C-alpha cells in the first residue's frame, strides 16, 4: 500500500472508530440516566456526556486531520440520544424527564457546542512575512 493510500485508510478508519465510540458512549450514558445513590439522583450521565463528547470530538479531529469529525461524532451522539428519548410502542423510555435526563441532554449538547466552537471559530490570519507580535504591550519594558 502506498503512503497516500495508507494515510487515507488511517483517516477513514479513525473516523469509523470515533463514530462507533460516540454511539457506544451515548448508549452507555442513556442507560446511566436512572442512576441513584440512596434516594438521590446522581447526574453521572451528564458529566460523562460533556466530557466524552468533547474528548471524542478532539480525538476525531486529531485522528482524521479534519475538523469535520466533530460533526460526525455529534450526529452519532444525537442519533442515539434522540432515539432513546422517544417512547416505544409499549410506552417504554430509556431517557426519562427529570434531573438526570435533562442533565444528559444539556451537558451532552454543551460538550458538542464547546468542541464546535473550539474547531470552527474564526481565527485571525497572519500575514505571510510579518512575524507574530509579542503579547506584551510596546509601552512597557519587559522585566529582566
Amino acid at each position: 500500500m502506498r503512503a497516500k493510500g495508507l494515510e487515507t485508510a488511517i483517516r477513514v478508519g479513525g473516523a469509523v472508530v470515533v463514530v462507533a465510540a460516540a454511539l457506544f458512549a451515548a448508549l452507555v450514558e442513556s442507560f446511566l440516566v436512572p442512576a441513584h445513590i440512596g434516594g438521590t439522583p446522581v447526574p453521572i450521565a451528564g458529566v460523562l456526556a460533556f466530557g466524552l463528547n468533547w474528548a471524542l470530538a478532539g480525538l476525531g479531529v486529531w485522528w482524521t486531520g479534519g475538523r469535520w469529525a466533530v460533526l460526525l461524532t455529534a450526529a452519532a451522539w444525537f442519533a442515539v440520544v434522540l432515539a432513546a428519548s422517544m417512547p416505544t410502542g409499549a410506552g417504554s423510555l430509556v431517557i426519562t424527564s427529570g434531573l438526570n435526563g435533562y442533565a444528559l441532554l444539556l451537558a451532552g449538547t454543551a460538550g458538542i457546542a464547546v468542541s464546535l466552537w473550539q474547531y470552527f471559530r474564526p481565527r485571525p490570519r497572519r500575514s505571510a512575512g510579518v512575524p507574530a507580535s509579542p503579547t506584551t504591550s510596546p509601552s512597557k519594558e519587559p522585566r529582566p
Side-chain angles (χ1 to χ4, degrees):
M1 196 179 254
R2 290 184 288 157
K4 182 74 172 172
L6 180 62
E7 181 180 339
T8 302
I10 289 172
R11 288 177 187 243
V12 170
V16 169
V17 168
V18 170
V19 167
L23 292 171
F24 181 70
L27 188 65
V28 168
E29 292 159 3
S30 297
F31 283 105
L32 284 175
V33 166
H36 285 72
I37 294 180
T40 308
V42 180
I44 187 78
V47 173
L48 283 174
F50 181 84
L52 288 176
N53 283 345
W54 192 14
L56 285 173
L59 178 65
V61 169
W62 175 78
W63 211 340
T64 62
R67 51 189 186 171
W68 53 268
V70 175
L71 300 173
L72 286 177
T73 58
W77 186 83
F78 273 121
V80 172
V81 169
L82 289 177
S85 299
M86 294 181 188
T88 63
S92 301
L93 257 172
V94 176
I95 299 176
T96 58
S97 61
L99 173 68
N100 289 350
Y102 294 135
L104 170 70
L105 297 173
L106 290 174
T109 305
I112 290 170
V114 167
S115 60
L116 285 171
W117 175 80
Q118 183 177 5
Y119 293 107
F120 285 95
R121 72 176 182 243
R123 293 193 171 101
R125 296 179 186 246
R126 289 190 218 164
S127 342
V130 180
S133 62
T135 57
T136 59
S137 66
S139 62
K140 296 182 180 179
E141 294 182 21
R143 292 185 173 182

